Amino acid sequence: MTEDVRDNTAAHRFELVVDRHLSFSDYTLDGDIITFTHTIVPPALEGHGVASRLISGALAQVRARGLKVRPVCTFVKAYIERHPEWQDLLAEPTA
């Protein structure tokens, strides 16, 4: 269902609407590095895998664009740590 995830470039966030509730993950973009800064899921949707669906869809789009990820958001960081298939997207740490 990652096709439901939309990149709202004007707001600098990936969005997913489920049951009329908007979940989103904010990001900044600097060259070919996308930094995920914060992820929000409404309380009505918590515990239903919505954040995972959102981040999986976002990361698929990031990969398709050839970007690298800097996960400042703790959820995105933990998600990538738990899913090795996304770990190649991690940007090299800055000194």
Side-chain angles (χ1 to χ4, degrees):
M1 298 286 184
T2 59
E3 63 276 0
D4 297 333
V5 175
R6 175 179 170 258
D7 183 5
N8 181 340
T9 57
H12 303 285
R13 66 189 193 184
F14 285 94
E15 301 174 339
L16 177 62
V17 177
V18 175
D19 295 335
R20 297 183 308 234
H21 295 283
L22 176 66
S23 300
F24 61 90
S25 188
D26 293 323
Y27 65 82
T28 60
L29 191 59
D30 183 16
D32 65 347
I33 305 286
I34 187 167
T35 301
F36 285 93
T37 57
H38 197 58
T39 300
I40 296 289
V41 173
L45 299 178
E46 288 177 358
H48 296 283
V50 173
S52 292
R53 221 170 106 198
L54 169 63
I55 299 308
S56 176
L59 293 175
Q61 292 182 47
V62 165
R63 174 172 281 145
R65 294 180 200 159
L67 301 174
K68 290 292 185 179
V69 173
R70 186 167 294 127
V72 173
C73 170
T74 55
F75 182 85
V76 175
K77 184 176 189 286
Y79 184 86
I80 292 173
E81 288 172 356
R82 286 191 319 269
H83 295 87
E85 67 271 22
W86 298 115
Q87 292 175 5
D88 62 301
L89 295 177
L90 290 172
E92 294 297 317
T94 56

